[in-house]
């Protein structure tokens, strides 16, 4: 009998687990975000980098303790200097409104400066007006400053006179003159007071025409009741005197008005 050789069955190698993906990219150092900027003390920043006085720097620091983006403040201060601001103008502005250091240069500051430039103001005039009342930088250029300037132009007649008035009282740019100056002008004119007289009062007592219209009308009524002649050159001054009096010295106003 012939023997048959039987080979043992072939064994199958066990399946290996899928290889680990060694080709996945490692985090790139070049694509990592830069470390956050370290805030600097506002007082140190203003004193050391821009030579501000300690008083101004500390006042500003009481509102903005740290400057998170000093390079942004650098750009703002540099632009104001280019626009005519002296060191004194800069310190007055920052001391009164410290947040100007973090304002948007292109959207907030430049449009306001351009309005004054278009008005014909000199760089020195612009710096003086803004540093005297820097809160006007918070007003909208198109919906705040421009309507106020147009209203002043209608009263003063020239850009030169508007500039002069703003140097005396920049407060005009913080008010809605459509609700104060214009109605008060109409009240004055209805009493026979000329535009020339009103302009003189604007230069001498600019805040007078910023009173509430109701207050001006009440002053007109009381002056009329005192018998003051509307044709008198002192009639407008009588109205102004009455409107500025307090309850404690109204008797003095009545005495002065009766003299007119």
């Amino acid at each position: 009998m012939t023997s048959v050789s039987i080979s043992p069955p072939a064994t199958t190698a066990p399946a290996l687990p899928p290889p680990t993906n060694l080709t996945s990219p490692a985090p790139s150092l070049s694509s990592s975000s830069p470390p956050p900027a370290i805030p600097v003390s506002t007082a140190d920043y203003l004193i050391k980098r821009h030579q501000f006085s300690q008083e101004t720097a500390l006042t500003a620091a009481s509102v903005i303790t740290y400057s998170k983006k000093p390079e942004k403040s650098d750009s703002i201060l540099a632009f104001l200097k280019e626009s005519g601001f002296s060191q004194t103008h800069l310190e007055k502005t920052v001391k009164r409104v410290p947040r100007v250091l973090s304002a948007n240069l292109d959207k907030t500051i430049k449009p306001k400066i351009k309005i004054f430039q278009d008005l014909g103001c000199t760089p020195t005039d612009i710096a003086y007006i803004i540093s005297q009342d820097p809160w006007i930088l918070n007003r909208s250029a198109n919906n705040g400053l421009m309507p106020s300037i147009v209203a002043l132009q209608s009263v003063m007649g020239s850009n030169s006179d508007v500039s002069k008035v703003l140097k005396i009282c920049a407060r005009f740019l913080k008010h809605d003159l459509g609700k104060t100056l214009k109605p008060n002008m109409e009240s004055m004119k209805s009493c026979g007071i000329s535009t020339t007289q009103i302009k003189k009062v604007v230069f001498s007592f600019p805040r007078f025409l910023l009173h509430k219209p109701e207050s001006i009308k009440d002053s007109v009524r009381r002056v009329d009741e005192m018998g003051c002649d509307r044709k008198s050159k002192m009639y407008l001054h009588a109205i102004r005197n009455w409107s500025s009096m307090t309850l404690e010295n109204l008797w003095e106003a009545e005495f002065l008005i009766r003299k007119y």
Side-chain angles (χ1 to χ4, degrees):
M1 177 181 296
T2 305
S3 62
V4 179
S5 176
I6 301 175
S7 301
T11 58
T12 304
L16 296 175
T20 303
N21 185 5
L22 300 177
T23 61
S24 56
S28 171
L29 294 178
S30 61
S31 63
S32 61
S33 59
I38 301 175
V40 298
S41 163
T42 298
D44 287 345
Y45 163 77
L46 291 174
I47 292 172
K48 295 177 181 179
R49 191 177 300 192
H50 294 285
Q51 292 73 54
F52 274 36
S53 68
Q54 185 177 28
E55 180 185 357
T56 298
L58 291 176
T59 301
S62 68
V63 178
I64 304 177
T65 307
Y66 292 100
S67 176
K68 296 180 180 180
K69 296 181 178 180
E71 68 283 354
K72 181 179 181 180
S73 300
D74 287 341
S75 299
I76 291 170
L77 294 173
F79 173 76
L80 292 176
K81 283 183 179 180
E82 293 170 3
S83 300
F85 282 62
S86 65
Q87 184 71 14
T88 300
H89 292 139
L90 288 176
E91 292 207 27
K92 277 187 175 182
T93 300
V94 172
K95 186 176 182 180
R96 294 183 178 185
V97 185
R99 295 196 184 281
V100 71
L101 293 170
S102 58
N104 188 308
L105 178 59
D106 292 325
K107 294 182 179 181
T108 301
I109 296 179
K110 286 186 177 181
K112 299 358 176 349
I113 298 295
K114 187 175 187 306
I115 286 176
F116 289 108
Q117 292 171 337
D118 292 344
L119 187 63
C121 296
T122 66
T124 302
D125 286 345
I126 295 173
Y128 180 82
I129 291 169
I130 293 179
S131 64
Q132 291 300 308
D133 210 336
W135 292 276
I136 61 180
L137 292 174
N138 293 331
R139 292 203 76 194
S140 165
N142 295 326
N143 300 322
L145 295 186
M146 277 306 301
S148 294
I149 287 177
V150 170
L152 280 174
Q153 288 171 327
S154 68
V155 176
M156 307 311 298
S158 70
N159 288 346
S160 175
D161 281 346
V162 170
S163 179
K164 290 178 183 177
V165 168
L166 292 179
K167 287 174 67 177
I168 297 171
C169 183
R171 185 183 292 268
F172 278 110
L173 298 180
K174 292 166 57 179
H175 286 260
D176 183 347
L177 300 186
K179 296 180 179 179
T180 52
L181 180 67
K182 286 186 176 181
N184 288 336
M185 282 281 296
E186 293 305 316
S187 292
M188 298 295 100
K189 289 181 178 179
S190 69
C191 296
I193 301 171
S194 67
T195 301
T196 301
Q197 286 180 287
I198 296 173
K199 284 179 62 175
K200 289 180 180 178
V201 170
V202 171
F203 279 121
S204 303
F205 308 98
R207 296 187 182 187
F208 166 60
L209 291 175
L210 293 177
H211 288 186
K212 293 181 179 180
E214 296 77 12
S215 173
I216 297 295
K217 289 179 179 179
D218 183 64
S219 297
V220 169
R221 178 180 61 80
R222 290 179 176 274
V223 169
D224 284 340
E225 289 175 351
M226 295 296 172
C228 186
D229 186 358
R230 287 191 172 189
K231 294 181 181 180
S232 169
K233 292 182 179 180
M234 300 304 295
Y235 181 73
L236 177 55
H237 295 285
I239 296 172
R240 187 194 64 77
N241 284 334
W242 187 277
S243 68
S244 65
M245 293 296 176
T246 61
L247 291 175
E248 289 74 15
N249 54 18
L250 281 178
W251 64 269
E252 182 179 353
E254 182 176 349
F255 171 76
L256 292 172
I257 290 169
R258 288 188 183 280
K259 289 178 61 177
Y260 299 147

